[in-house]
Amino acid sequence: MSAILSSLKLVNAKRHNSVDPVVFRRNKLNEKLKVQIAMAEAMNKGELFTVKRKKLLRDELTGVTSYVDINKRVKTWWFTNNETKRIAVQLFYGNRGIDLAKGKNAVDVANCDELITVLTRLQQAVLDGSLDTQIEQAADSVKARFAK
């Protein structure tokens, strides 16, 4: 062995390519919450908010394929309750709502400023693992639709 290699600490290492499913679901929901927070901030400022995605399109005349930015449709996770005239915020995993507590699936919010605060606090709850069991139930519900 050469002097350079003998001066290094050599080990037998194996790279783990899989991510813990709980952490994967947390990160997935966190990314969706970041978009919701950005939408709420844009709404509060009176600005238009769009999310772009890349789509591969082929030009009919030349036959050349290229990536084009397309607006992605994003739904808000909040709505105005007709009875109370207050905003209700829900969390979704896929298209399934997450129960925040037993029988409670939304947070009541007074105005847009509070909406941003609530979304940020929900994001913190997701990241610290407070909603892991609810996220797992929603993920299992989404997975069950694909299993035949």
Side-chain angles (χ1 to χ4, degrees), residues 29 91-93 96-100 104-106 131 134-135 138:
L29 187 56
L91 278 183
F92 288 92
Y93 189 87
R96 300 289 183 203
I98 296 175
D99 281 343
L100 301 172
K104 310 283 185 189
N105 67 347
L131 297 172
Q134 292 95 325
I135 296 169

Side-chain angles (χ1 to χ4, degrees), residues 116-134:
I116 297 167
T117 305
V118 166
L119 286 170
T120 305
R121 290 177 64 189
L122 286 172
Q123 184 181 30
Q124 291 169 351
V126 166
L127 290 175
D128 73 10
S130 301
L131 297 172
D132 282 348
T133 56
Q134 292 95 325

Side-chain angles (χ1 to χ4, degrees), residues 9-16:
K9 180 181 178 184
L10 302 176
V11 295
N12 186 13
K14 183 179 177 188
R15 181 181 296 236
H16 296 284

Side-chain angles (χ1 to χ4, degrees), residues 75-93:
K75 295 180 183 177
T76 58
W77 287 359
W78 63 87
F79 62 94
T80 303
N81 191 339
N82 291 334
E83 297 156 2
T84 61
K85 302 296 183 208
R86 292 173 61 94
I87 300 171
V89 181
Q90 295 177 309
L91 278 183
F92 288 92
Y93 189 87

Side-chain angles (χ1 to χ4, degrees), residues 47-123:
E47 298 174 353
L48 182 64
F49 179 80
T50 57
V51 175
K52 302 280 187 183
R53 71 178 184 93
K54 301 256 187 227
K55 185 174 182 179
L56 189 63
L57 292 177
R58 188 171 67 93
D59 189 2
E60 295 294 327
L61 299 174
T62 62
V64 176
T65 58
S66 61
Y67 283 101
V68 178
D69 283 338
I70 303 281
N71 286 339
K72 184 177 176 183
R73 192 184 82 190
V74 182
K75 295 180 183 177
T76 58
W77 287 359
W78 63 87
F79 62 94
T80 303
N81 191 339
N82 291 334
E83 297 156 2
T84 61
K85 302 296 183 208
R86 292 173 61 94
I87 300 171
V89 181
Q90 295 177 309
L91 278 183
F92 288 92
Y93 189 87
N95 65 349
R96 300 289 183 203
I98 296 175
D99 281 343
L100 301 172
K102 183 126 178 122
K104 310 283 185 189
N105 67 347
V107 178
D108 189 43
V109 179
N111 56 29
C112 244
D113 294 327
E114 191 179 346
L115 172 66
I116 297 167
T117 305
V118 166
L119 286 170
T120 305
R121 290 177 64 189
L122 286 172
Q123 184 181 30

Side-chain angles (χ1 to χ4, degrees), residues 8-48:
L8 300 173
K9 180 181 178 184
L10 302 176
V11 295
N12 186 13
K14 183 179 177 188
R15 181 181 296 236
H16 296 284
N17 291 333
S18 63
V19 178
D20 181 26
V22 174
V23 174
F24 177 78
R25 287 190 289 261
R26 268 188 217 159
N27 291 338
K28 183 177 177 180
L29 187 56
N30 181 39
E31 291 302 315
K32 300 294 182 184
L33 273 166
K34 285 179 184 177
V35 172
Q36 294 295 318
I37 291 169
M39 284 174 50
E41 289 172 345
M43 185 182 78
N44 199 15
K45 294 176 185 174
E47 298 174 353
L48 182 64

